[in-house]
Amino acid sequence: MATLYLTLLTFHNLNRWLILLAGVWALVRTIPGASGGRTFTPADRRPVAMFMGTLHLQVVLGLLLFAFMGMQNIPLFAGAPRSSFQWEHLGLGALAAVFGTLASVQSRKAPTDPAKFRAATLWTALSLVVILLAIPWWRPLLRVFTQ
């Protein structure tokens, strides 16, 4: 069971970096188009969709970790600055996934290209802010098969 825990924790940690990279990539693609004058192309949509997909994967990995740790009576976020951090982490992660989903859906359904860029930029930026608040910065930044 320890191997499963370390595997989930490693993938959850590595996926965090994919999320941050995809979010920055999405902003780099969408911020210039938000002022107008550009067509929202599949190349602009791709990083937004990737950002949403990696966020959804992160939520699934996080919920699996949460359930596994609960079943094994492993303390959640030992050494956290606040005892409420586990709930903050869980809630902010879900909120970030909602914002990432809104970035994808609103940028796809907006009636004009500037509106698509603005929706993608706004919701991606909000999601990244929430993600940065949810990261346990006191833990190792790159954790590969270690506790």
Side-chain angles (χ1 to χ4, degrees):
M1 289 304 247
T3 304
L4 176 61
Y5 168 71
L6 285 178
T7 302
L8 285 173
L9 191 61
T10 296
F11 285 129
H12 190 68
N13 181 276
L14 294 175
N15 193 52
R16 163 182 50 184
W17 297 108
L18 290 176
I19 289 168
L20 293 173
L21 287 172
V24 169
W25 181 29
L27 288 178
V28 165
R29 291 293 305 188
T30 59
I31 288 174
S35 60
R38 275 185 49 200
T39 302
F40 194 79
T41 66
D44 297 316
R45 171 134 179 70
R46 193 170 297 116
V48 177
M50 183 179 169
F51 180 62
M52 180 190 68
T54 55
L55 274 170
H56 288 178
L57 176 61
Q58 189 75 340
V59 167
V60 169
L61 291 170
L63 289 175
L64 286 171
L65 269 170
F66 194 75
F68 179 79
M69 291 173 78
M71 288 187 296
Q72 300 297 316
N73 292 324
I74 298 171
L76 300 171
F77 293 104
R82 298 176 300 287
S83 60
S84 64
F85 186 80
Q86 67 184 3
W87 301 110
E88 294 169 22
H89 185 74
L90 187 66
L92 290 172
L95 185 62
V98 168
F99 287 168
T101 303
L102 285 170
S104 181
V105 171
Q106 295 296 322
S107 67
R108 191 178 64 235
K109 292 188 175 188
T112 65
D113 288 331
K116 290 177 184 202
F117 281 112
R118 282 192 300 273
T121 300
L122 170 70
W123 292 112
T124 300
L126 287 174
S127 184
L128 280 172
V129 167
V130 171
I131 289 164
L132 291 173
L133 292 172
I135 292 175
W137 292 106
W138 69 91
R139 288 197 166 173
L141 293 179
L142 189 59
R143 178 182 282 182
V144 181
F145 298 105
T146 61
Q147 288 186 4

mmCIF file of all heavy atoms in Angstrom, residues 77-97:
data_model
loop_
_atom_site.group_PDB
_atom_site.id
_atom_site.type_symbol
_atom_site.label_atom_id
_atom_site.label_comp_id
_atom_site.label_asym_id
_atom_site.label_seq_id
_atom_site.Cartn_x
_atom_site.Cartn_y
_atom_site.Cartn_z
ATOM 1 N N PHE A 77 -1.413 16.437 5.515
ATOM 2 C CA PHE A 77 -0.641 17.672 5.627
ATOM 3 C C PHE A 77 -0.019 17.842 7.014
ATOM 4 O O PHE A 77 -0.196 18.863 7.667
ATOM 5 C CB PHE A 77 -1.497 18.896 5.275
ATOM 6 C CG PHE A 77 -1.878 18.922 3.833
ATOM 7 C CD1 PHE A 77 -3.156 18.586 3.427
ATOM 8 C CD2 PHE A 77 -0.947 19.273 2.873
ATOM 9 C CE1 PHE A 77 -3.500 18.595 2.093
ATOM 10 C CE2 PHE A 77 -1.281 19.276 1.538
ATOM 11 C CZ PHE A 77 -2.561 18.945 1.135
ATOM 12 N N ALA A 78 0.702 16.821 7.437
ATOM 13 C CA ALA A 78 1.448 16.929 8.691
ATOM 14 C C ALA A 78 2.440 18.080 8.556
ATOM 15 O O ALA A 78 3.099 18.229 7.543
ATOM 16 C CB ALA A 78 2.172 15.632 8.986
ATOM 17 N N GLY A 79 2.513 18.916 9.544
ATOM 18 C CA GLY A 79 3.425 20.060 9.508
ATOM 19 C C GLY A 79 2.846 21.274 8.798
ATOM 20 O O GLY A 79 3.564 22.224 8.519
ATOM 21 N N ALA A 80 1.568 21.250 8.499
ATOM 22 C CA ALA A 80 0.928 22.394 7.832
ATOM 23 C C ALA A 80 0.903 23.597 8.767
ATOM 24 O O ALA A 80 0.821 23.446 9.986
ATOM 25 C CB ALA A 80 -0.492 22.035 7.411
ATOM 26 N N PRO A 81 0.964 24.804 8.201
ATOM 27 C CA PRO A 81 0.939 25.995 9.048
ATOM 28 C C PRO A 81 -0.393 26.183 9.786
ATOM 29 O O PRO A 81 -0.442 26.830 10.820
ATOM 30 C CB PRO A 81 1.197 27.141 8.078
ATOM 31 C CG PRO A 81 0.895 26.601 6.732
ATOM 32 C CD PRO A 81 1.099 25.126 6.794
ATOM 33 N N ARG A 82 -1.468 25.621 9.226
ATOM 34 C CA ARG A 82 -2.792 25.711 9.853
ATOM 35 C C ARG A 82 -3.438 24.327 9.804
ATOM 36 O O ARG A 82 -3.291 23.611 8.819
ATOM 37 C CB ARG A 82 -3.696 26.684 9.089
ATOM 38 C CG ARG A 82 -3.219 28.090 9.041
ATOM 39 C CD ARG A 82 -4.127 28.976 8.176
ATOM 40 N NE ARG A 82 -4.258 28.582 6.782
ATOM 41 C CZ ARG A 82 -3.319 28.719 5.840
ATOM 42 N NH1 ARG A 82 -2.151 29.217 6.157
ATOM 43 N NH2 ARG A 82 -3.548 28.374 4.593
ATOM 44 N N SER A 83 -4.177 24.000 10.813
ATOM 45 C CA SER A 83 -4.845 22.693 10.820
ATOM 46 C C SER A 83 -5.950 22.623 9.761
ATOM 47 O O SER A 83 -6.326 21.539 9.335
ATOM 48 C CB SER A 83 -5.432 22.405 12.199
ATOM 49 O OG SER A 83 -6.380 23.394 12.541
ATOM 50 N N SER A 84 -6.425 23.764 9.316
ATOM 51 C CA SER A 84 -7.492 23.789 8.308
ATOM 52 C C SER A 84 -6.962 23.676 6.883
ATOM 53 O O SER A 84 -7.748 23.664 5.936
ATOM 54 C CB SER A 84 -8.299 25.084 8.444
ATOM 55 O OG SER A 84 -7.463 26.206 8.148
ATOM 56 N N PHE A 85 -5.638 23.581 6.723
ATOM 57 C CA PHE A 85 -5.081 23.614 5.366
ATOM 58 C C PHE A 85 -5.576 22.468 4.497
ATOM 59 O O PHE A 85 -5.766 22.644 3.298
ATOM 60 C CB PHE A 85 -3.545 23.628 5.373
ATOM 61 C CG PHE A 85 -2.985 23.813 3.995
ATOM 62 C CD1 PHE A 85 -2.933 25.070 3.423
ATOM 63 C CD2 PHE A 85 -2.566 22.731 3.246
ATOM 64 C CE1 PHE A 85 -2.460 25.250 2.136
ATOM 65 C CE2 PHE A 85 -2.083 22.892 1.959
ATOM 66 C CZ PHE A 85 -2.032 24.164 1.407
ATOM 67 N N GLN A 86 -5.810 21.299 5.083
ATOM 68 C CA GLN A 86 -6.282 20.182 4.269
ATOM 69 C C GLN A 86 -7.602 20.515 3.589
ATOM 70 O O GLN A 86 -7.815 20.164 2.431
ATOM 71 C CB GLN A 86 -6.412 18.912 5.089
ATOM 72 C CG GLN A 86 -7.506 18.959 6.136
ATOM 73 C CD GLN A 86 -7.527 17.709 6.990
ATOM 74 O OE1 GLN A 86 -6.687 16.832 6.839
ATOM 75 N NE2 GLN A 86 -8.482 17.633 7.889
ATOM 76 N N TRP A 87 -8.488 21.216 4.291
ATOM 77 C CA TRP A 87 -9.781 21.575 3.696
ATOM 78 C C TRP A 87 -9.625 22.737 2.725
ATOM 79 O O TRP A 87 -10.322 22.804 1.714
ATOM 80 C CB TRP A 87 -10.796 21.886 4.795
ATOM 81 C CG TRP A 87 -10.970 20.701 5.681
ATOM 82 C CD1 TRP A 87 -10.558 20.568 6.975
ATOM 83 C CD2 TRP A 87 -11.535 19.438 5.311
ATOM 84 N NE1 TRP A 87 -10.845 19.304 7.433
ATOM 85 C CE2 TRP A 87 -11.449 18.592 6.434
ATOM 86 C CE3 TRP A 87 -12.108 18.945 4.153
ATOM 87 C CZ2 TRP A 87 -11.915 17.284 6.426
ATOM 88 C CZ3 TRP A 87 -12.573 17.632 4.142
ATOM 89 C CH2 TRP A 87 -12.476 16.818 5.267
ATOM 90 N N GLU A 88 -8.719 23.649 3.040
ATOM 91 C CA GLU A 88 -8.445 24.739 2.105
ATOM 92 C C GLU A 88 -7.880 24.173 0.795
ATOM 93 O O GLU A 88 -8.296 24.588 -0.293
ATOM 94 C CB GLU A 88 -7.436 25.718 2.711
ATOM 95 C CG GLU A 88 -7.954 26.472 3.910
ATOM 96 C CD GLU A 88 -6.858 27.222 4.644
ATOM 97 O OE1 GLU A 88 -5.803 27.511 4.036
ATOM 98 O OE2 GLU A 88 -7.048 27.520 5.837
ATOM 99 N N HIS A 89 -6.948 23.235 0.912
ATOM 100 C CA HIS A 89 -6.322 22.624 -0.256
ATOM 101 C C HIS A 89 -7.374 21.919 -1.114
ATOM 102 O O HIS A 89 -7.401 22.090 -2.335
ATOM 103 C CB HIS A 89 -5.247 21.637 0.212
ATOM 104 C CG HIS A 89 -4.446 21.025 -0.888
ATOM 105 N ND1 HIS A 89 -3.484 21.709 -1.586
ATOM 106 C CD2 HIS A 89 -4.458 19.768 -1.402
ATOM 107 C CE1 HIS A 89 -2.931 20.908 -2.481
ATOM 108 N NE2 HIS A 89 -3.508 19.727 -2.393
ATOM 109 N N LEU A 90 -8.234 21.167 -0.477
ATOM 110 C CA LEU A 90 -9.281 20.437 -1.180
ATOM 111 C C LEU A 90 -10.269 21.399 -1.850
ATOM 112 O O LEU A 90 -10.591 21.258 -3.035
ATOM 113 C CB LEU A 90 -10.015 19.519 -0.199
ATOM 114 C CG LEU A 90 -11.041 18.562 -0.770
ATOM 115 C CD1 LEU A 90 -10.364 17.528 -1.646
ATOM 116 C CD2 LEU A 90 -11.774 17.869 0.370
ATOM 117 N N GLY A 91 -10.734 22.394 -1.102
ATOM 118 C CA GLY A 91 -11.700 23.347 -1.652
ATOM 119 C C GLY A 91 -11.116 24.221 -2.754
ATOM 120 O O GLY A 91 -11.758 24.445 -3.791
ATOM 121 N N LEU A 92 -9.889 24.705 -2.545
ATOM 122 C CA LEU A 92 -9.264 25.540 -3.568
ATOM 123 C C LEU A 92 -8.945 24.740 -4.819
ATOM 124 O O LEU A 92 -9.046 25.252 -5.940
ATOM 125 C CB LEU A 92 -7.997 26.201 -3.015
ATOM 126 C CG LEU A 92 -8.221 27.287 -1.964
ATOM 127 C CD1 LEU A 92 -6.885 27.723 -1.362
ATOM 128 C CD2 LEU A 92 -8.969 28.470 -2.546
ATOM 129 N N GLY A 93 -8.587 23.471 -4.663
ATOM 130 C CA GLY A 93 -8.347 22.617 -5.828
ATOM 131 C C GLY A 93 -9.607 22.433 -6.651
ATOM 132 O O GLY A 93 -9.578 22.507 -7.887
ATOM 133 N N ALA A 94 -10.723 22.205 -5.978
ATOM 134 C CA ALA A 94 -12.002 22.067 -6.692
ATOM 135 C C ALA A 94 -12.386 23.382 -7.366
ATOM 136 O O ALA A 94 -12.853 23.388 -8.518
ATOM 137 C CB ALA A 94 -13.097 21.620 -5.730
ATOM 138 N N LEU A 95 -12.186 24.501 -6.676
ATOM 139 C CA LEU A 95 -12.505 25.808 -7.249
ATOM 140 C C LEU A 95 -11.630 26.098 -8.469
ATOM 141 O O LEU A 95 -12.117 26.608 -9.489
ATOM 142 C CB LEU A 95 -12.330 26.907 -6.197
ATOM 143 C CG LEU A 95 -12.726 28.317 -6.606
ATOM 144 C CD1 LEU A 95 -14.214 28.395 -6.956
ATOM 145 C CD2 LEU A 95 -12.385 29.298 -5.491
ATOM 146 N N ALA A 96 -10.362 25.761 -8.403
ATOM 147 C CA ALA A 96 -9.463 25.957 -9.545
ATOM 148 C C ALA A 96 -9.934 25.135 -10.738
ATOM 149 O O ALA A 96 -9.890 25.610 -11.885
ATOM 150 C CB ALA A 96 -8.032 25.579 -9.162
ATOM 151 N N ALA A 97 -10.389 23.909 -10.494
ATOM 152 C CA ALA A 97 -10.898 23.071 -11.587
ATOM 153 C C ALA A 97 -12.155 23.674 -12.199
ATOM 154 O O ALA A 97 -12.336 23.643 -13.424
ATOM 155 C CB ALA A 97 -11.165 21.654 -11.089
#
